[in-house]
Amino acid sequence: MLSQLLSFFKALNSDAGPWQMAFAGGFALIIGLTPLWSVHNLIVLLLVFVLRTHIGTFFVFWAIFSGFAYLLDPWFDQLGYAWLTQPGWQSFWTSLYQNDWWQVARFNHTITLGSLAVSLVLFVPVAVALRFSVVKYRAKWMPMMNKLKVVQALKATRLYDLYSKVN
């Protein structure tokens, strides 16, 4: 995890595309908020590896959003339960569950349904906010951070030189 965190900060300070980092954070939102062993998470992982996203950013935000998931699971459960018990939707959910694919997708699980719905709704706003944050950080905060004596001292060490050569 430490190497992923270092990779994230290196990408934040490099010329890595802001959208690469933003989409990595958006995909991490989906995997982090939903239960791990789900079919839709396999699809998201496939997208992460096929599309040009920053893997270090993905793993850092996955850990962050997983922490939020534990706090939000009761709310996801209530949301999923409300959707699954709507009288007008009973026949829809029943027909989905009769299909083998939808049984594997586990949308009858209240937390899975609620968390996936919330994460899909938040995907675009989170990706746009992360892209905006990366651009603002690089324009405003990165020059100030590089001027700090602590950062200059760390960059002057032999350990930093070894890390730079390895990566």
Side-chain angles (χ1 to χ4, degrees):
M1 185 64 188
L2 183 61
S3 65
Q4 298 302 327
L5 190 61
L6 290 174
S7 173
F8 167 70
F9 283 117
K10 187 174 181 178
L12 194 57
N13 293 316
S14 72
D15 291 333
W19 281 115
Q20 290 176 339
M21 296 180 71
F23 281 124
F27 287 133
L29 170 81
I30 295 172
I31 288 188
L33 291 184
T34 60
L36 182 61
W37 302 111
S38 303
V39 172
H40 64 270
N41 283 345
L42 291 175
I43 296 168
V44 170
L45 275 175
L46 178 68
L47 288 173
V48 165
F49 292 123
V50 169
L51 300 176
R52 291 186 52 139
T53 60
H54 190 264
I55 302 298
T57 303
F58 172 75
F59 285 117
V60 167
F61 278 106
W62 183 356
I64 291 169
F65 289 129
S66 293
F68 284 122
Y70 287 109
L71 299 173
L72 298 173
D73 272 351
W75 184 66
F76 294 151
D77 182 45
Q78 290 175 355
L79 180 65
Y81 182 78
W83 278 7
L84 288 173
T85 58
Q86 286 293 320
W89 286 73
Q90 290 291 327
S91 61
F92 173 73
W93 296 119
T94 303
S95 66
L96 281 184
Y97 196 69
Q98 299 302 321
N99 186 328
D100 291 336
W101 161 252
W102 293 108
Q103 285 180 0
V104 172
R106 294 184 36 185
F107 288 141
N108 64 323
H109 187 251
T110 56
I111 293 176
T112 302
L113 181 63
S115 61
L116 182 62
V118 169
S119 63
L120 290 177
V121 167
L122 291 178
F123 178 83
V124 172
V126 165
V128 170
L130 286 174
R131 189 217 180 262
F132 179 75
S133 299
V134 168
V135 169
K136 284 296 180 184
Y137 168 79
R138 288 179 180 170
K140 185 175 181 177
W141 292 98
M142 188 170 72
M144 290 186 340
M145 297 295 279
N146 286 333
K147 290 180 184 176
L148 291 174
K149 296 291 183 190
V150 174
V151 173
Q152 290 176 357
L154 285 174
K155 286 185 175 181
T157 63
R158 180 152 170 77
L159 183 63
Y160 182 80
D161 288 338
L162 289 172
Y163 176 73
S164 297
K165 289 178 184 176
V166 170
N167 286 326

